[in-house]
Amino acid sequence: MILLVAVTGRDCSQLIARLQALLPEIDVQFWSECTDYEAVEFVLAWNAPADLWPKLVNLKAVSSFGAGVDSIDLTKIAAHIPVVRIVDDNLANDMAEYVLGHVLAHKLRLKEYYLKQSAGTWKPKRAYSHQHVGILGYGELGKASAKRLLANGFQVSAWSNSEKHDVEVSTYYSQQGLDDMLGQIDYLVCLLPLNQHTQGIINKSLLGKLQSHAVLINVARGKHVVDEDLLEALNSEQLRGATLDVFSEEPLPQAHPYWSHQKVTLTPHCAAISDLESVSLQIAGNAKRLTEGKELINQVDRTKGY
Ligand code: NAP
């Protein structure tokens, strides 16, 4: 059996060495150096070349290299083949810390003070009293972020695909539920998976339902946001500010208006970076399960696509 590492856009040498050490009985190969496509049973994929999939006639399982599976073209993989994603406490903790940190930064007006410092302006103002955070997506990362926010005195609401019941978090689902949540919150955090239902969800209509002092924190995928609509909302005082970690095109092109926008805090897709060791252990665990005929862990629902 070959475990094929079909991860593009990064150096995979350390990852391959670690997987090979964890899986001495399995042949771990890099996609462009594959010696026998028919022997490939398990693929670790992240933006894999489109022409790879039809060659893998004995494919049995696919793993994403991250928490999301939007980097895998699921339409190219037969519906019965399990697709797994990374679920990692370290990743969830990093995300929760990032979300809390940026909510607090907006509450404490840190961006305003950075700008005032560079202008040599002394003008104290009280921190905002806003306490209500709404999270789009109440999955692994949404829940971890909610827990951290609650522990720091914030009120949390969350919107998901299916109805949920939670003692501490007000939960919403459906379009009506989303509209109800948007009108009440002070900070909107996006932690949705990217798919055909969620692409462009943060658009003029959604932004228009937020209170004008609200702030957007997008830590999911850049394509959740319609950039022109966000810029218009920021420029027309319809939205107080935005923290953006992810972009439609990454790296963000130098000419993009986000770079210099006074209401935008921008980070380079670093909110929660996969840790090589925990990712390798999880992938190796699933590869072993596959060879032992056991069910894989952290499978995505192929019907829902996340
Ligand atoms: P997850 O566990 O799959 O949770 C997804 C949540 O979104 C679930 O609560 C789901 O609802 C909800 N959802 C899905 N489609 C929906 C829809 N159409 N309408 C309403 N709710 C919907 O995902 P996760 O592990 O929390 O990760 C979320 C995303 O974070 C990933 O997909 C990835 O894009 C992003 N991410 C970013 C970074 C970074 O560094 N910036 C790092 C890791 C991940 P149900 O619970 O009802 O199914």
Side-chain angles (χ1 to χ4, degrees):
M1 157 174 167
I2 291 177
L3 186 166
L4 195 69
V5 176
V7 174
T8 60
R10 67 184 76 204
D11 176 10
C12 293
S13 46
Q14 269 188 300
L15 173 66
I16 291 173
R18 189 68 190 114
L19 287 173
Q20 196 65 84
L22 290 166
L23 298 165
E25 68 288 2
I26 294 176
D27 187 3
V28 182
Q29 297 192 2
F30 188 57
W31 66 274
S32 62
E33 293 153 12
C34 184
T35 51
D36 180 5
Y37 289 113
E38 289 188 13
V40 174
E41 293 185 18
F42 192 105
V43 172
L44 172 59
W46 188 268
N47 294 326
D51 61 353
L52 180 70
W53 300 108
K55 298 178 194 161
L56 309 178
V57 289
N58 291 311
L59 184 63
K60 294 204 170 62
V62 177
S63 174
S64 170
F65 186 57
V69 292
D70 52 294
S71 66
I72 301 174
D73 185 351
L74 295 174
T75 62
K76 298 231 159 40
I77 301 164
H80 68 278
I81 292 180
V83 174
V84 299
R85 41 76 57 106
I86 298 299
V87 175
D88 176 16
D89 284 348
N90 293 330
L91 194 82
N93 278 331
D94 287 352
M95 181 58 83
E97 193 167 66
Y98 181 102
V99 168
L100 174 65
H102 284 271
V103 166
L104 280 170
H106 286 287
K107 188 176 190 306
L108 298 174
R109 305 173 179 267
L110 293 191
K111 179 90 176 170
E112 282 174 51
Y113 288 122
Y114 292 143
L115 294 170
K116 283 178 185 159
Q117 179 179 350
S118 36
T121 306
W122 181 276
K123 197 169 176 203
K125 281 186 176 175
R126 281 187 68 80
Y128 286 100
S129 56
H130 309 137
Q131 293 283 14
H132 194 168
V133 184
I135 305 178
L136 300 178
Y138 198 42
E140 295 291 334
L141 303 182
K143 282 184 184 157
S145 300
K147 203 170 152 195
R148 189 71 66 95
L149 289 160
L150 287 167
N152 283 274
F154 286 93
Q155 178 187 353
V156 182
S157 294
W159 181 69
S160 57
N161 214 2
S162 54
E163 188 173 7
K164 300 210 188 316
H165 300 282
D166 196 297
V167 182
E168 291 179 293
V169 173
S170 307
T171 53
Y172 298 86
Y173 73 106
S174 77
Q175 184 61 48
Q176 185 57 53
L178 176 61
D179 292 351
D180 291 346
M181 183 180 91
L182 291 173
Q184 302 176 44
I185 58 177
D186 306 310
Y187 310 87
L188 178 68
V189 176
C190 181
L191 271 168
L192 287 166
L194 181 67
N195 55 41
Q196 80 266 30
H197 303 294
T198 62
Q199 181 161 343
I201 191 168
I202 301 173
N203 55 26
K204 192 179 172 74
S205 160
L206 181 147
L207 293 166
K209 291 169 187 160
L210 289 167
Q211 306 183 74
S212 59
H213 66 257
V215 163
L216 169 69
I217 298 175
N218 185 22
V219 270
R221 289 290 180 260
K223 286 184 178 158
H224 285 121
V225 174
V226 178
D227 291 329
E228 309 81 69
D229 293 357
L230 175 58
L231 285 164
E232 192 190 319
L234 290 168
N235 293 337
S236 63
E237 309 291 327
Q238 204 189 324
L239 197 67
R240 181 160 68 87
T243 289
L244 305 173
D245 183 53
V246 285
F247 305 90
S248 293
E249 188 183 343
E250 296 180 3
L252 183 68
Q254 280 304 323
H256 200 287
Y258 285 152
W259 279 109
S260 56
H261 202 291
Q262 301 223 330
K263 290 182 172 178
V264 173
T265 300
L266 180 161
T267 54
H269 200 150
C270 61
I273 296 178
S274 297
D275 171 62
L276 185 78
E277 185 58 18
S278 35
V279 167
S280 302
L281 286 170
Q282 200 178 125
I283 293 159
N286 264 333
K288 273 188 197 142
R289 271 186 202 84
L290 184 68
T291 57
E292 291 162 3
K294 293 184 185 158
E295 198 176 346
L296 305 196
I297 59 160
N298 301 325
Q299 290 194 32
V300 304
D301 181 333
R302 291 295 312 268
T303 56
K304 292 201 280 185
Y306 65 89

